[in-house]
């Protein structure tokens, strides 16, 4: 029997944003109002939908912590994100974590929680998310589209490692870390084909670009979604990735 690991950041965000409504008080005064009861109904329907479609009774919600360890490694991480959370999001998140089985750890993002649990429960978990970054986590990944429908993917360890190393080179504009200057997905694929999809290829590319091995490691630690091997369960802390 599989367990669903749900990216609750995304599911909660969409539920609360969908319950927002603009209200006009007078000619010049507008407010935004959120009916959290509607958001809760939508959220619960989506969780039930995932469970029905994937035939799983057991599930766990994964939420991001308010702090993010990557910002200590690279202060610019996600510094380009200025969008506000929907009105009532914090209260909704508290309700969801108290109502549903959930998992969150200090300084971790929801992606990290998903990656840690999925690799700990090897072969027994299905990740449910829209986030492409989870393509680097070996296992079953039910990737959601913008229409709410999903596609089941089976990520091998080799494919997951290749996706991770590619992101080390290309960076991620959305998450605000640049990778290696001048290298996009096509160039990264070319380098890996020529020199092998290994860390040395990544490091050499940074050095050739006038950067350092330390620069490469910082970008890798931004890119890496944590796995079971990257988390110290006994001491409840991160084991920073090393090549």
């Amino acid at each position: 029997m599989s367990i669903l690991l749900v990216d609750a950041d995304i599911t909660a965000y969409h539920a609360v944003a969908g319950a927002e409504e603009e209200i006009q008080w007078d000619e010049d005064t507008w407010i935004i109002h959120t009916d959290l009861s509607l958001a809760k109904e939508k959220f619960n329907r989506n969780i039930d939908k995932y469970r029905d479609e994937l035939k799983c009774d057991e599930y766990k919600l994964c939420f991001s912590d308010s702090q993010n360890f990557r910002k200590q490694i690279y202060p610019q991480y996600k510094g380009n994100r200025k969008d506000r959370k929907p009105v009532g999001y914090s209260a909704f998140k508290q309700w969801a974590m108290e109502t549903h089985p959930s998992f969150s750890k200090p300084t971790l993002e929801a992606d990290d929680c998903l990656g840690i649990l999925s690799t700990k429960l090897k072969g027994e978990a299905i990740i449910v998310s829209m986030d492409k970054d989870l393509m680097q986590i070996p296992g079953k990944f039910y990737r959601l589209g913008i229409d709410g429908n999903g596609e089941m993917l089976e990520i091998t360890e080799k494919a997951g490692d290749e996706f991770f190393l590619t992101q080390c080179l290309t960076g991620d504009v959305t998450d605000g870390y640049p990778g290696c200057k001048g290298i996009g997905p096509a160039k990264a694929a070319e380098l890996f084909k020529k020199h092998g999809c290994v860390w040395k290829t990544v490091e050499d590319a940074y050095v050739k670009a006038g950067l350092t091995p330390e620069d490469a490691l910082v970008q890798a630690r931004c890119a890496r979604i944590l796995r079971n091997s990257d988390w110290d369960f006994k001491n409840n802390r991160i084991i920073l990735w090393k090549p």
Side-chain angles (χ1 to χ4, degrees):
M1 181 68 70
S2 295
I3 177 174
L4 292 187
L5 304 176
V6 180
D7 185 341
D9 282 359
I10 290 175
T11 306
Y13 184 96
H14 288 168
V16 180
E20 279 191 343
E21 181 182 6
E22 288 185 346
I23 297 176
Q24 183 178 13
W25 278 15
D26 56 41
E27 183 178 355
D28 296 318
T29 307
W30 290 76
I31 64 169
I32 298 176
H33 160 83
T34 300
D35 184 341
L36 286 188
S37 65
L38 295 178
K40 291 173 184 178
E41 289 177 11
K42 181 176 182 180
F43 184 84
N44 287 336
R45 282 198 307 271
N46 282 333
I47 297 300
D48 289 341
K49 176 186 175 185
Y50 305 150
R51 293 169 66 191
D52 289 344
E53 288 180 350
L54 300 171
K55 298 178 173 56
C56 292
D57 291 327
E58 191 176 356
Y59 67 99
K60 196 175 289 288
L61 307 182
C62 291
F63 278 104
S64 295
D65 186 53
S66 58
Q67 302 299 312
N68 191 320
F69 79 91
R70 291 177 178 85
K71 291 187 176 182
Q72 297 177 12
I73 295 168
Y74 187 70
Q76 300 94 318
Y77 183 76
K78 289 190 174 178
N80 56 345
R81 294 199 178 184
K82 306 299 182 185
D83 294 343
R84 67 170 179 83
K85 286 285 196 297
V87 172
Y89 180 84
S90 294
F92 183 89
K93 176 180 175 180
Q94 187 65 34
W95 164 83
M97 294 184 73
E98 292 172 352
T99 305
H100 296 270
S102 60
F103 183 81
S104 181
K105 291 293 182 181
T107 76
L108 299 191
E109 297 183 65
D111 286 359
D112 299 310
C113 296
L114 293 163
I116 289 168
L117 289 181
S118 179
T119 50
K120 186 173 188 290
L121 301 169
K122 191 172 182 179
E124 300 177 17
I126 302 173
I127 291 175
V128 180
S129 178
M130 295 177 66
D131 197 330
K132 73 177 190 330
D133 292 346
L134 289 157
M135 296 282 288
Q136 62 175 268
I137 298 298
K140 294 180 181 179
F141 177 24
Y142 190 65
R143 188 174 181 187
L144 300 172
I146 57 174
D147 60 358
N149 295 316
E151 174 190 11
M152 180 64 80
L153 304 173
E154 295 270 357
I155 311 297
T156 65
E157 188 162 357
K158 180 175 183 289
D161 290 344
E162 288 178 355
F163 193 92
F164 163 60
L165 290 173
T166 297
Q167 286 196 297
C168 293
L169 284 174
T170 64
D172 190 320
V173 174
T174 302
D175 285 340
Y177 65 95
C180 187
K181 185 178 180 181
I183 298 183
K187 180 64 175 178
E190 179 185 329
L191 288 173
F192 290 142
K193 183 176 181 180
K194 184 175 181 180
H195 302 291
C197 192
V198 294
W199 176 250
K200 187 176 187 305
T201 302
V202 174
E203 198 172 71
D204 288 348
Y206 273 81
V207 172
K208 186 175 181 180
L211 300 168
T212 68
E214 290 72 24
D215 293 324
L217 185 57
V218 165
Q219 295 299 298
R221 288 173 171 172
C222 288
R224 187 168 178 84
I225 304 303
L226 302 188
R227 303 182 188 182
N228 180 40
S229 58
D230 303 313
W231 183 252
D232 181 345
F233 281 87
K234 182 179 179 180
N235 297 301
N236 214 35
R237 64 187 183 189
I238 297 163
I239 303 169
L240 287 175
W241 182 81
K242 295 180 181 179

